[in-house]
Amino acid sequence: MVNLGDVFPNFEASTTDGDIKFHDWLGDSWGILFSHPADYTPVCTTELGMAAKLAPEFKKRNVKMIALSCDSVEDHNGWIKDIKQNSGESGEWPYPIIADKNRDLAIKFGMLDPDEKTAAGLPLTARCVFIVGPDKKLKLSILYPATTGRNFDEILRVIDSLQLTATKKVATPVNWTSGGKCMVLPSVKKEDEGKYFPKGVETVSVPSGKGYLRYTPQPE
Ligand code: BEZ
């Protein structure tokens, strides 16, 4: 298992874009690795189609996308034709899909869903999301069971939060979306608020009298 803050392993894999070494493939970009139970399955088909549709949004955020499914490159290439037709996406396929036929990576990264099994009784791969920073460290991981498709708008939202909070002394509150009010980090001293937050800080008065609920407009 990879924990938040760990350097994501520099694994090697065969993909629909050829063989890769993860760190070289990532370069100086952020990366998202998302896994799928198997090719030619319905929920995965909708997820990969949505990811393809949103590829320009990921690119705008300097995030390279890579999917993983436990089948061969040949199967992936056949499946991509179905995904394109179902999602209405045409043109060049925008991101590679890793072939993990022997489940080496699925096992290594703890991606298996014990409740969903193949016809042969093997656990299927769950729907993992790993977001890795340009420093190659794991910034976020989400794990969904095979039976629940992901929300790619939410994934873009968390990337916005990760990229903002990587450089500014803020955290993002419940249901935040880009441009919304942020919370001042508890580690910022009251006397330093003016230095870090020239747009101002609003401290909410609470029964405890502790001034920990501090809002500030999203820093530039
Ligand atoms: C799917 O992608 O539709 C799926 C795959 C495995 C289990 C359940 C659903």
Side-chain angles (χ1 to χ4, degrees):
M1 284 295 277
V2 191
N3 293 313
L4 292 187
D6 288 352
V7 170
F8 205 85
N10 190 16
F11 64 86
E12 295 182 22
S14 295
T15 81
T16 49
D17 288 355
D19 292 349
I20 62 153
K21 248 189 135 175
F22 185 60
H23 289 186
D24 299 340
W25 172 82
L26 196 60
D28 295 328
S29 302
W30 288 70
I32 175 168
L33 165 60
F34 47 104
S35 66
H36 296 271
D39 293 6
Y40 300 108
T41 50
V43 175
C44 299
T45 301
T46 62
E47 287 190 317
L48 285 164
M50 182 54 71
K53 205 178 279 284
L54 293 174
E57 290 297 322
F58 285 89
K59 191 164 184 198
K60 221 159 69 184
R61 291 162 172 81
N62 189 30
V63 181
K64 284 181 133 183
M65 312 166 79
I66 192 162
L68 175 150
S69 182
C70 292
D71 285 294
S72 65
V73 165
E74 196 185 17
D75 284 335
H76 291 350
N77 282 326
W79 184 32
I80 283 171
K81 294 186 189 124
D82 290 2
I83 300 167
K84 283 169 87 169
Q85 200 228 44
N86 186 59
S87 61
E89 290 297 296
S90 54
E92 203 181 323
W93 184 250
Y95 56 86
I97 307 178
I98 294 170
D100 192 28
K101 201 167 165 44
N102 297 326
R103 297 154 171 258
D104 297 333
L105 296 176
I107 293 165
K108 184 175 162 106
F109 299 138
M111 291 173 173
L112 297 180
D113 180 347
D115 285 344
E116 294 295 326
K117 303 228 166 64
T118 62
L122 291 171
L124 282 171
T125 309
R127 302 182 192 283
C128 284
V129 179
F130 293 120
I131 297 177
V132 179
D135 57 3
K136 318 286 186 287
K137 290 184 179 166
L138 181 66
K139 305 298 179 188
L140 174 135
S141 72
I142 319 178
L143 180 58
Y144 289 67
T147 43
T148 302
R150 287 157 285 200
N151 181 328
F152 276 73
D153 290 330
E154 165 63 3
I155 293 172
L156 286 170
R157 189 192 74 86
V158 296
I159 288 170
D160 286 339
S161 172
L162 291 170
Q163 293 185 335
L164 175 70
T165 59
T167 59
K168 307 293 180 196
K169 291 185 177 298
V170 291
T172 58
V174 62
N175 291 354
W176 172 90
T177 53
S178 185
K181 277 203 255 181
C182 297
M183 318 291 312
V184 173
L185 284 182
S187 57
V188 173
K189 294 192 185 113
K190 181 122 197 84
E191 58 266 33
D192 291 334
E193 286 175 356
K195 180 165 82 181
Y196 295 122
F197 308 108
K199 292 182 187 167
V201 171
E202 174 203 341
T203 303
V204 180
S205 166
V206 282
S208 69
K210 298 181 195 289
Y212 62 96
L213 273 172
R214 295 179 292 173
Y215 287 95
T216 190
Q218 180 171 322
E220 313 270 296

